Amino acid sequence: FLTASSVLSLVFGALVIRWAGARIRSVRLRLALAYGIGHLVAVVNVLTTSALMFLNTHDLTLLLLLLGFSAVISLAFAYAVVGALTAQLGVLSRAAMRLAGGDLSVRVGVHGSDEIGRLAAAFDDMAEQLQGSFDRERALEAGRRELISAVSHDLRTPLATTRAMVEALA
């Protein structure tokens, strides 16, 4: 019974999560749904198992109370975990918007060694390289302007001298 119920539970949970992943655009809601589905599957399996074991009414009431308590604790834990995760993603999102707006000094800082921490480190490296590229571009542009100014000055000076001589001869 446990093998059959676990396979059915996993298939049901995977189908619901896949269905919800395409329709729910919030990471917070998707992760809360995953916790909720996991708990719902556990409740259904426990209730089915308890019905097969012929528990008396008192035991069944106590079991339902404990399952309700575990549902509240599980959802509170899910909310806390998802809140921390989405807060870190929000910091990355705001930094990306500032970088797209032209603020090349924005950095998010590394907040750990997990996937989001590695993403933050990659973002900071990208921002550093982008700022370096813009600094090199500005330096090249300043060099180009200086070269054009020098060449222009050098061309004007001999032409002015030649022009003065031509006017004097004329």
Side-chain angles (χ1 to χ4, degrees):
F1 175 76
L2 287 176
T3 302
S5 70
S6 65
V7 168
L8 287 173
S9 299
L10 288 173
V11 168
F12 172 73
L15 289 174
V16 169
I17 295 300
R18 181 166 291 191
W19 172 83
R23 288 168 179 72
I24 298 175
R25 298 289 179 221
S26 168
V27 173
R28 180 179 295 217
L29 290 177
R30 277 191 269 167
L31 288 174
L33 179 67
Y35 272 96
I37 293 298
H39 192 73
L40 178 67
V41 165
V43 166
V44 168
N45 284 323
V46 168
L47 287 176
T48 304
T49 305
S50 66
L52 293 173
M53 292 174 53
F54 301 107
L55 293 176
N56 63 27
T57 307
H58 181 288
D59 291 341
L60 186 59
T61 304
L62 180 62
L63 177 66
L64 290 174
L65 180 66
L66 291 174
L67 287 174
F69 177 74
S70 68
V72 170
I73 296 298
S74 177
L75 289 176
F77 179 72
Y79 186 77
V81 168
V82 169
L85 179 66
T86 55
Q88 291 174 343
L89 290 174
V91 168
L92 274 169
S93 177
R94 286 187 296 279
M97 283 187 233
R98 285 180 51 200
L99 186 65
D103 182 6
L104 298 177
S105 65
V106 66
R107 301 293 184 272
V108 293
V110 179
H111 298 290
S113 61
D114 61 353
E115 290 86 354
I116 294 179
R118 289 192 302 269
L119 178 62
F123 179 89
D124 286 348
D125 289 342
M126 177 194 64
E128 190 69 35
Q129 289 177 6
L130 193 59
Q131 186 174 21
S133 294
F134 277 112
D135 290 344
R136 282 189 300 278
E137 181 183 347
R138 286 186 195 118
L140 287 172
E141 181 64 23
R144 184 187 68 82
R145 287 183 186 188
E146 185 178 320
L147 177 66
I148 289 174
S149 174
V151 168
S152 174
H153 178 268
D154 288 344
L155 287 176
R156 265 188 263 132
T157 302
L159 289 175
T161 305
T162 306
R163 185 176 179 186
M165 287 186 170
V166 169
E167 285 177 2
L169 287 174

